[in-house]
Amino acid sequence: MSTSAAARPLRVAIIGAGPAGVYAADILTKSNEVQGGDFAVSIDLFDQYPAPYGLIRYGVAPDHPRIKGIVNALHKVLDRGDIRFLGNVNYGRDLTLSDFRRFYDAVIFATGAIKDADLDIPGIGLEGSFGGADFVSWYDGHPDVSRDWPLEAREIAVIGNGNVALDVARILSKHADDLLSTEIPDNVYQGLKASPVTDVHVFGRRGPAQVKFTPLELRELSHSRDVDIVLYPEDFDFDAGSEAQIASNNQTKTMVKTLTNWLVEDEPTGASRRLHLHFLHSPVEIHDSPEAPGRVAGIRFERTELTGDGSVRGTGEVVDYPVQAVYRAIGYFGSELPEVGFDEKRGVIPNEGGRVIDEDGRPVPGIYATGWIKRGPVGLIGHTKGDALETIGCLLEDRLNLPPAEDGSEDAIIDLLEERGVRYTTWEGWLKLDAHEMKLGANFVNVSGNAELVRERVKLVPREDMVAISRGE
């Protein structure tokens, strides 16, 4: 850095205010170099949404027991006052990469992954075929998603064996009144309340020992009132690879034990809804019917079998299930960002350890990535922290050679946003919005018949309302 740049705090922009971005900011401010006085740092945390928290606010089921703890941890970081939050700022539209490079010495992309991974089978485009991530955005009150969702099916298939698949299946099968204790928006409650669903089927391509969800997510299924969990003996096959996985991994052992206990011990209770867990099913085709052309009427699978090492192969046996809706939940995929390279196969920004690289594989000075846009949509919150630690380590190594910002003053970016008419939001604005949502919860009129029901908050959905309340307009 130049002498003039070294005389001021290192200016860092982080694009994305979800866990990945917040952890990166927190790790940088707490680094030995900053805490020891080697240099000062000034961090601006940007997000395209008016509110912070990213995937925790718009990608985690509202009844997830860990969500409040995660939000509280992120809140404590941002509430310290040493990291500035600037929301409702869209990268590529409101600000370009050249803008960021003009006002910051380093830029970290932490934009995550919000799209559904593709499933290339016939019929995937039929009416009634949905992406699980889109459904999650709807029930989490994403401001840019339609407030209406077509919940018309009695029988539903969910394809996938990860946590998102279980979240989608649980929300689809759960009675809406039992979600009123969460922060779900009113439109989501009304939509789920009117759903005629009776059966939700979750399908995985491999066996019970190869599932990708976690014990916590699995156990949550059994907490749903008036929902029977249904399993099938023919799906419980364990080869040598499965046995080795069970013996070496306590998480797998716990989940297999839970599933096996449900299979052997749980009898149907006559519940009004059923959640079916199927294994060793590979999707082949989604089809319509002569009575309803263009709409989902069923889904076809090929049964699979374990090959000895935990992998599977097709058996040639085909089975059909009548369903009127299909949700694919086979993973998330990153979105390409303007002026930044993109790996089309992996859905990430090309990088080495967090340093963004160009087409020739050379690091782009001052540009970094962290979180899912760096490594792909895998891993839990703990992985995100380790990921941010690696990226910030690279930035600290590079700090003396970063290309200095043309204008490193903290007011310069605010002046530009106001000049362009961007209605940005701040941390103080989020506190106003937070208080408003808490008030909506306190004023909630109980319609469930549960006299003890108390709502802590109700999530606000319309972007314009969120911005206006945050800005005090």
Side-chain angles (χ1 to χ4, degrees):
M1 296 178 64
S2 67
T3 302
S4 59
R8 58 167 172 78
L10 183 76
R11 291 284 284 144
V12 178
I14 300 177
I15 303 171
V22 176
Y23 290 146
D26 188 41
I27 289 168
L28 180 54
T29 59
K30 292 179 178 177
S31 65
N32 292 335
E33 291 84 348
V34 172
Q35 292 295 308
D38 292 359
F39 71 102
V41 65
S42 170
I43 302 173
D44 286 340
L45 187 65
F46 292 85
D47 204 278
Q48 63 178 320
Y49 308 128
Y53 307 144
L55 195 66
I56 297 302
R57 182 172 167 92
Y58 294 121
V60 177
D63 61 343
H64 197 297
R66 289 182 60 212
I67 186 171
K68 185 179 293 187
I70 298 170
V71 167
N72 288 343
L74 299 179
H75 178 98
K76 287 179 181 178
V77 173
L78 295 180
D79 202 42
R80 293 196 311 248
D82 56 349
I83 300 164
R84 185 166 62 175
F85 170 71
L86 295 170
N88 202 41
V89 178
N90 194 303
Y91 171 79
R93 184 189 67 195
D94 299 323
L95 294 175
T96 65
L97 182 58
S98 59
D99 292 327
F100 281 102
R101 304 210 71 162
R102 178 182 169 194
F103 298 113
Y104 297 92
D105 306 302
V107 181
I108 303 174
F109 287 95
T111 50
I114 59 172
K115 295 195 308 182
D116 282 286
D118 291 333
L119 178 62
D120 187 16
I121 60 172
I124 196 68
L126 288 173
E127 186 178 350
S129 173
F130 305 106
D134 292 335
F135 182 59
V136 171
S137 292
W138 175 75
Y139 68 59
D140 270 334
H142 193 295
D144 300 330
V145 172
S146 170
R147 301 186 70 183
D148 298 317
W149 190 272
L151 291 164
E152 303 161 351
R154 296 178 64 85
E155 301 159 300
I156 300 171
V158 179
I159 303 172
N161 253 181
N163 284 341
V164 174
L166 291 195
D167 280 349
V168 167
R170 191 178 67 256
I171 296 298
L172 285 167
S173 60
K174 203 165 186 174
H175 291 276
D177 284 352
D178 295 334
L179 287 165
L180 279 174
S181 59
T182 74
E183 62 182 27
I184 63 166
D186 290 336
N187 66 295
V188 176
Y189 169 74
Q190 297 297 338
L192 292 171
K193 180 74 171 177
S195 170
V197 66
T198 59
D199 292 83
V200 177
H201 300 261
V202 181
F203 295 94
R205 189 173 61 88
R206 298 198 288 173
Q210 289 81 41
V211 294
K212 296 297 184 183
F213 41 75
T214 57
L216 179 63
E217 294 283 351
L218 181 61
R219 286 193 296 268
E220 283 183 57
L221 297 184
S222 64
H223 298 160
S224 294
R225 178 185 60 85
D226 191 34
V227 179
D228 277 342
I229 298 175
V230 184
L231 298 108
Y232 300 86
E234 62 269 26
D235 291 346
F236 281 72
D237 187 22
F238 301 98
D239 61 358
S242 300
E243 298 291 354
Q245 175 72 6
I246 294 169
S248 63
N249 188 295
N250 287 332
Q251 179 168 291
T252 302
K253 183 185 299 181
T254 298
M255 289 189 292
V256 169
K257 181 179 179 180
T258 299
L259 290 166
T260 304
N261 286 345
W262 287 351
L263 174 68
V264 174
E265 299 174 3
D266 286 8
E267 295 291 336
T269 67
S272 66
R273 295 179 177 180
R274 290 159 294 280
L275 201 164
H276 307 254
L277 299 179
H278 303 268
F279 306 102
L280 302 174
H281 282 68
S282 181
V284 173
E285 178 185 10
I286 304 169
H287 60 82
D288 57 7
S289 68
E291 296 75 24
R295 294 183 58 88
V296 172
I299 184 168
R300 175 168 296 173
F301 292 88
E302 180 182 13
R303 292 303 307 258
T304 60
E305 62 183 6
L306 295 162
T307 61
D309 60 357
S311 300
V312 294
R313 63 189 169 212
T315 65
E317 178 187 354
V318 173
V319 288
D320 287 282
Y321 294 86
V323 297
Q324 300 82 51
V326 175
Y327 290 75
R328 68 184 186 278
I330 58 173
Y332 285 86
F333 200 77
S335 301
E336 186 171 2
L337 299 166
E339 300 182 78
V340 184
F342 190 66
D343 185 330
E344 297 281 355
K345 291 184 178 179
R346 298 179 56 223
V348 299
I349 296 174
N351 70 92
E352 291 182 354
R355 292 184 178 96
V356 173
I357 57 176
D358 62 19
E359 294 179 353
D360 298 320
R362 296 173 299 194
V364 181
I367 308 296
Y368 302 87
T370 192
W372 280 3
I373 199 63
K374 167 189 172 184
R375 59 182 162 85
V378 293
L380 303 175
I381 294 295
H383 297 91
T384 302
K385 289 182 179 179
D387 197 50
L389 187 63
E390 180 185 50
T391 294
I392 295 303
C394 292
L395 190 155
L396 290 171
E397 290 177 6
D398 301 341
R399 71 183 188 278
L400 297 179
N401 299 306
L402 294 173
E406 178 183 325
D407 185 343
S409 65
E410 293 187 349
D411 292 338
I413 192 67
I414 300 298
D415 292 341
L416 180 63
L417 290 172
E418 292 182 347
E419 177 186 321
R420 292 180 177 176
V422 179
R423 296 169 67 217
Y424 65 90
T425 60
T426 63
W427 179 248
E428 293 72 22
W430 160 247
L431 295 178
K432 294 178 185 176
L433 178 57
D434 185 40
H436 179 83
E437 293 186 345
M438 299 280 279
K439 186 176 181 181
L440 290 177
N443 293 340
F444 173 75
V445 177
N446 188 358
V447 297
S448 71
N450 181 354
E452 298 179 356
L453 177 64
V454 175
R455 299 200 71 181
E456 182 176 345
R457 69 189 303 123
V458 176
K459 189 180 290 183
L460 194 66
V461 179
R463 179 184 285 266
E464 282 301 309
D465 292 350
M466 294 173 68
V467 172
I469 291 167
S470 297
R471 291 173 60 88
E473 298 174 347

